Amino acid sequence: MTQQSDAQNQTLSNLMHEERRFDPPADLAAQANLTATAYDEAAADRLGFWAKQAERLSWATRWDEVLDWSNPPFAQWFVGGKLNAAYNCVDRHVEAGAGDKVAFHWVGEPEGETRDITYAQLKDEVCQAANALVELGVKTGDRVAIYMPMIPETVVTMLACARIGAPHTVVFGGFSADALASRIEDCDAQVVVTADGGYRRGAASALKPAVDEARTKNSVVRKVLVVRRTGQEVAWDDSVDVWWHDLVAKQSTEHACEFFDAEHPLYVMYTSGTTGKPKGILHTTAGYLVGAAYTHWGVFDLKPETDVYWCTADIGWVTGHSYMVYGPLANQTTSVMYEGTPDSPHQGRWWEIIEQYKVTIFYTAPTAIRTFMKWGDEIPAKYDMSSLRILGSVGEPINPEAYVWYRETIGGSRTPVVDTWWQTETGAIMISPLPGVTSAKPGSAMTPVPGVVADVVDDDGNSVPDGSGGYLVLKEPWPSMLRTLWGDDERFKETYWSRWPGMYFAGDGAKKDEDGDIWVLGRVDDVMNVSGHRLSTTEIESALVSHPKVAEAAVVGATDETTGQAVVAYVILRSAAGDGGPDIVKELRDHVAKEIGAIAKPRQIMIVAELPKTRSGKIMRRLLRDVAENRTVGDVTTLADSTVMDLIKEGAATSTED
Ligand code: PRX
């Protein structure tokens, strides 16, 4: 396992021996949605089990075959079936008489700004937006890019796209104009939906200028539909830009939806891979929706009549897609959607929202939990959070201390915590405890959900015995699996399916404990996980070397107390650049933010004279991680020049950090 740090391994293995375990509370167990028999049922007839889950959706035409796996790794699920994802998320609930039920309690960042949206209102708005997209010339199959803040119009736009069969690609609002442009270009998105800006940390931030700048980088975009959220000034091009309030509001609230093939593309979500170019993960309609709806219902033991659910993810990431939009809406859930940051205007904002809306199920990321731990127990203690009954964690390994704090301080020691492992590629949760069925151990994602077959294997692809570590794989196809990488079938095969025949390689290292429960340890490839966001070391290296003063760069992910991992960069400057000038570190950090986005800014940049390389010229990142994590540098015998490490350690001691 190359990327795994020894320290991380050591800590986790110590903690695994602590053997803390929480059994499902009796009240939850008594009425759990899934029961222990689901595991046996799925094991005995996996496809039959998935067919049963597919019954959760409304189909215009039922499928003929559950899975066609005749041309692996290209799967087709629910072959011959026809359905519409937006109809399943909205219309059918209104038709069933739930039109007055709240779909979203939306909470704006500026205090007091809230909006409740019922299913009936959502249906009207989705129809209007669908009609507007059609008026802009969007046809079935065309891609639409969405670059938006956390506002209801973002959900409306996604569903409007789904309704007309135009795959959306949502680009996280924190990505730069360059990153946006490359995504727009890769999937040829001719229409972009954006807003003038959004609110973050108590201030209005801008979005439209990044779209304007992205448009100068290629000539793909024909139309930009702009929501007025903040009222800030925006540059305007009459031939391209259209205000949402001008175009959408005048549309009819009726739109007859068409039913699409089960395998019709639903969306493309870009995520970092091991090379510089982000991968466009393609999800298709039926399998994805089945996976999202089933897991949302089963893993969170959702009772749609009484639960108030809140997932804090940004819609720009896959968690926002599966567990804020498609899963919850397919299940007729009432959700909270919050626009801003947890500390605005005060550090108790999230807990205040939980108290106010009596949230029962809460899903967030370990980074956030660790941040709240730092802020202090007295902040959540001010709020009544007795409504909570289930807590979830996602995005990165949760350290047992954070898990226990979350359970005790936020969950009042009552609530089970489900540590859910999955990926953009898997579309839905793959490994997780079931809160009313299975026990949970702090730090372990435990067992695959019924219907999913996961394992930990060694270098040769053999299943490792309990008590050992290796690579996490999925051994059978699942409905919400990615179908390919947009425009790159070869890379899809090569990245995920080439290592061991017939197995999906997730890119994560994992261990099985003595009970056979799975502990996911982190990436084993050149992908870092910073605050639950996937970043590619190669992509950041490319961004750094695109700066005129940089000759060479190496990036590693170093363990970080709050963000899980942090980006640490080692940079060799071109000789013409001299020492780079007094602001070189800031200059380079800003350059990375401009190329990729602020989330990719290195925590630390060390200007060095050389990089440790093997005789064949490969950078030894392991040694750079040792320095970044303040550890004794490991074995240097394979280095071409073993004195290099002394120079680098000196550089580290004098490097700037901010
Ligand atoms: O390394 C794993 C980590 O996040 C990666 C997937 O990132 P992304 O596609 O951005 O999706 C994040 C939200 C699903 C995985 O390869 N990861 C995700 N959940 C967990 C996790 N690592 C450990 N435990 C988890 N629960």
Side-chain angles (χ1 to χ4, degrees):
M1 258 176 256
T2 50
Q3 186 81 355
Q4 201 58 49
S5 82
D6 297 342
Q8 203 180 359
N9 268 336
Q10 193 51 47
T11 326
L12 273 161
S13 72
N14 288 344
L15 288 160
M16 278 167 69
H17 292 299
E18 272 186 19
E19 288 297 328
R20 285 197 75 166
R21 139 185 228 122
F22 299 106
D23 293 326
D27 55 337
L28 272 186
Q31 43 173 327
N33 287 350
L34 280 168
T35 60
T37 55
Y39 291 99
D40 305 328
E41 220 184 289
D45 176 10
R46 202 171 50 85
L47 297 184
F49 180 83
W50 281 118
K52 192 169 145 192
Q53 303 318 318
E55 303 285 0
R56 315 181 58 72
L57 303 183
S58 298
W59 296 79
T61 310
R62 212 187 135 84
W63 60 91
D64 308 312
E65 193 185 359
V66 178
L67 169 67
D68 177 351
W69 191 233
S70 58
N71 180 28
F74 301 98
Q76 293 195 55
W77 281 87
F78 309 109
V79 184
K82 282 194 188 304
L83 76 174
N84 183 296
Y87 175 84
N88 270 281
C89 288
V90 186
D91 302 49
R92 64 171 178 152
H93 306 316
V94 179
E95 287 168 16
D100 291 339
K101 187 174 177 188
V102 172
F104 287 104
H105 295 293
W106 177 77
V107 182
E109 194 186 85
E111 268 191 307
E113 204 180 335
T114 60
R115 204 184 138 193
D116 283 354
I117 301 132
T118 65
Y119 275 94
Q121 289 167 335
L122 188 59
K123 176 174 176 290
D124 287 352
E125 292 192 25
V126 170
C127 287
Q128 288 184 308
N131 287 323
L133 290 175
V134 171
E135 192 175 318
L136 290 178
V138 179
K139 292 184 294 302
T140 300
D142 291 351
R143 276 77 59 203
V144 173
I146 302 177
Y147 187 66
M148 293 274 262
M150 292 280 287
I151 55 177
E153 288 84 350
T154 311
V155 179
V156 168
T157 306
M158 288 165 75
L159 293 171
C161 288
R163 193 171 186 97
I164 62 172
H168 53 72
T169 186
V170 182
V171 179
F172 173 58
F175 277 123
S176 67
D178 285 3
L180 174 64
S182 67
R183 284 156 174 79
I184 286 173
E185 193 171 325
D186 190 70
C187 71
D188 192 32
Q190 298 180 14
V191 170
V192 180
V193 184
T194 189
D196 52 356
Y199 288 98
R200 284 194 81 72
R201 304 217 148 76
S205 60
L207 284 168
K208 171 106 180 358
V211 178
D212 297 341
E213 193 187 331
R215 280 210 297 117
T216 65
K217 297 181 190 291
N218 54 54
S219 49
V220 175
V221 177
R222 281 189 303 108
K223 287 285 170 195
V224 179
L225 183 58
V226 190
V227 176
R228 184 183 278 150
R229 164 68 189 120
T230 62
Q232 64 193 282
E233 282 286 313
V234 287
W236 204 254
D237 176 345
D238 277 327
S239 63
V240 175
D241 298 326
V242 186
W243 281 116
W244 177 284
H245 54 260
D246 285 341
L247 182 70
V248 181
K250 69 169 194 203
Q251 302 292 328
S252 160
T253 54
E254 296 296 323
H255 176 271
C257 75
E258 199 185 321
F259 295 97
F260 300 107
D261 192 86
E263 285 295 337
H264 189 81
L266 182 63
Y267 70 82
V268 180
M269 167 110 264
Y270 285 87
T271 188
S272 295
T274 52
T275 67
K277 190 171 179 278
K279 302 180 288 196
I281 308 291
L282 175 68
H283 284 294
T284 58
T285 307
Y288 172 78
L289 203 57
V290 168
Y294 154 65
T295 50
H296 179 252
W297 169 83
V299 172
F300 297 106
D301 194 37
L302 180 84
K303 312 290 186 210
E305 315 75 45
T306 47
D307 274 322
V308 178
Y309 164 86
W310 183 15
C311 165
T312 66
D314 191 285
I315 293 187
W317 306 108
V318 75
T319 308
H321 282 48
S322 301
Y323 298 107
M324 274 189 69
V325 180
Y326 289 108
L329 292 176
N331 289 328
Q332 206 190 101
T333 311
T334 295
S335 299
V336 167
M337 175 177 180
Y338 172 55
E339 178 184 33
T341 44
D343 52 355
S344 189
H346 56 83
Q347 294 178 331
R349 187 77 198 268
W350 280 13
W351 320 130
E352 186 179 72
I353 293 171
I354 290 178
E355 178 181 86
Q356 186 180 354
Y357 289 99
K358 300 196 167 29
V359 172
T360 57
I361 305 172
F362 182 64
Y363 193 29
T364 194
T367 292
I369 299 166
R370 289 191 293 263
T371 304
F372 294 126
M373 284 172 79
K374 270 202 305 206
W375 289 350
D377 294 11
E378 62 286 359
I379 296 171
K382 286 190 228 151
Y383 301 91
D384 175 5
M385 292 193 275
S386 56
S387 53
L388 287 171
R389 61 182 201 94
I390 290 166
L391 301 177
S393 170
V394 61
E396 48 180 318
I398 180 162
N399 49 311
E401 300 86 333
Y403 181 108
V404 170
W405 183 89
Y406 190 30
R407 196 177 187 282
E408 290 176 351
T409 313
I410 305 305
S413 302
R414 297 178 317 279
T415 58
V417 174
V418 288
D419 176 7
T420 61
W421 177 86
W422 59 293
Q423 308 177 296
T424 307
E425 291 87 339
T426 69
I429 295 168
M430 298 281 106
I431 308 178
S432 171
L434 298 179
V437 184
T438 60
S439 303
K441 298 174 190 168
S444 170
M446 303 299 285
T447 42
V449 298
V452 170
V453 184
D455 200 358
V456 180
V457 299
D458 64 18
D459 282 320
D460 300 322
N462 301 315
S463 182
V464 302
D466 290 349
S468 314
Y471 305 96
L472 186 60
V473 293
L474 298 170
K475 287 185 153 170
E476 296 287 352
W478 64 100
S480 62
M481 63 199 278
L482 76 165
R483 296 301 193 264
T484 190
L485 296 179
W486 186 259
D488 204 344
D489 287 348
E490 276 314 306
R491 190 173 174 199
F492 167 63
K493 285 199 267 188
E494 163 68 25
T495 310
Y496 305 104
W497 301 94
S498 63
R499 196 139 172 177
W500 304 288
M503 289 186 218
Y504 169 84
F505 172 49
D508 278 318
K511 289 188 178 184
K512 285 195 243 176
D513 68 14
E514 298 299 338
D515 304 321
D517 294 322
I518 296 175
W519 297 64
V520 182
L521 301 175
R523 303 291 307 188
V524 293
D525 52 12
D526 291 332
V527 172
M528 294 167 288
N529 191 327
V530 179
S531 300
H533 299 151
R534 251 162 90 163
L535 296 172
S536 147
T537 52
T538 331
E539 202 180 346
I540 300 176
E541 284 166 3
S542 306
L544 285 165
V545 294
S546 74
H547 188 283
K549 290 183 184 168
V550 175
E552 212 177 333
V555 165
V556 296
T559 306
D560 184 279
E561 217 176 274
T562 307
T563 58
Q565 280 189 307
V567 180
V568 176
Y570 297 81
V571 169
I572 302 178
L573 297 178
R574 286 176 191 273
S575 45
D579 69 356
D583 294 329
I584 184 67
V585 169
K586 181 173 182 311
E587 211 176 303
L588 295 180
R589 291 181 82 234
D590 291 346
H591 180 70
V592 172
K594 190 190 164 296
E595 291 285 307
I596 305 174
I599 47 166
K601 270 188 181 183
R603 178 190 72 184
Q604 199 176 0
I605 294 182
M606 304 186 207
I607 309 295
V608 295
E610 291 204 53
L611 289 167
K613 290 190 182 150
T614 59
R615 283 173 200 103
S616 61
K618 204 168 168 301
I619 294 173
M620 293 190 72
R621 288 202 172 73
R622 173 174 60 82
L623 301 179
L624 294 175
R625 260 195 311 276
D626 285 342
V627 176
E629 293 175 349
N630 291 323
R631 262 195 316 279
T632 318
V633 172
D635 186 2
V636 294
T637 48
T638 51
L639 275 182
D641 173 5
S642 61
T643 59
V644 166
M645 283 320 291
D646 297 328
L647 289 173
I648 290 190
K649 277 187 289 176
E650 259 168 50
T654 57
S655 81
T656 334
E657 202 170 325
D658 63 11

